[in-house]
Amino acid sequence: MTIETAEGKQVTLSFDGARCIHARRCVMGQPAVFVANAKGPWLHPDEASPDALIRVAMNCPSGAIQIKRKDGGAEEPAPATNIITVRENGPLAVHADLTIRGEKAGFRATLCRCGASSNKPYCDGSHTKAGFTATGEPASQETALAITDLVGPVDILPTPDGPLRVKGSVEISSGTGRAVHRVTKAFLCRCGNSANKPFCDGSHARVGFKSE
């Protein structure tokens, strides 16, 4: 799916359907801008203020929605802290100044950890169809990093046939917001088989996981 772009008077609104996880934060937050089940154009950026559209983009967990202002107003800021949230029976929700596969990827992404997505490293909802089960509340670990350390760029590289290599100061957070671990480097499971989720334990080699 290609990226759809709608030019408004004050913003350029873009939508990357390949990254969308259908969280519906857009259609529920600004239904006049994002018209559900429309026959024809469904993106109408002039139906809300630039500030309102920025808020919708910031509420989109996948980063599918991007807003570029033309009015000189403030763009979406980088997050104050870098967080990777472990979703119950689902993906990893990342909020950081992101680089993925060496390319800038905005401030939000939802990454597959079940191994079944056809759009790896991004989630495409396959965890539901695959019956993936994994806690969103892994045990907390001791860390020397403070909350104030969780700043700066975060680089994520899907290793060939292996885990997600994460570089950068980031908190791994439970689905309810509890700190699981704070790291500057981690390898996160994306084959769905680790016994130490969300961290890799080498199970990808045992199960023959394949992915670029």
Side-chain angles (χ1 to χ4, degrees), residues 12-87:
T12 298
L13 186 162
S14 61
F15 172 77
D16 186 349
R19 289 177 64 165
C20 179
I21 61 166
H22 306 289
R24 302 194 311 137
R25 308 282 175 81
C26 54
V27 298
M28 298 299 287
Q30 289 291 339
V33 176
F34 303 90
V35 181
N37 304 314
K39 295 180 179 179
W42 70 287
L43 300 174
H44 304 279
D46 289 334
E47 295 298 320
S49 70
D51 286 340
L53 291 173
I54 290 286
R55 288 194 292 272
V56 169
M58 292 175 68
N59 205 28
C60 172
S62 68
I65 295 169
Q66 300 287 333
I67 304 296
K68 184 66 176 177
R69 299 183 73 145
K70 304 176 183 179
D71 65 346
E75 302 283 359
E76 177 183 352
T81 56
N82 298 324
I83 303 174
I84 299 177
T85 302
V86 182
R87 299 297 188 198

Side-chain angles (χ1 to χ4, degrees), residues 86-152:
V86 182
R87 299 297 188 198
E88 184 81 13
N89 301 330
L92 299 167
V94 188
H95 190 202
D97 183 3
L98 278 170
T99 299
I100 299 177
R101 286 179 172 157
E103 297 183 358
K104 296 296 289 183
F107 299 131
R108 298 165 314 282
T110 308
L111 304 181
C112 175
R113 71 175 181 127
C114 73
S117 174
S118 59
N119 189 38
K120 300 179 186 70
Y122 299 103
C123 171
D124 69 355
S126 291
H127 53 273
T128 300
K129 186 182 297 184
F132 177 67
T133 58
T135 184
E137 299 293 325
S140 294
Q141 301 183 33
E142 294 290 333
T143 179
L145 293 179
I147 290 176
T148 51
D149 295 325
L150 305 175
V151 294

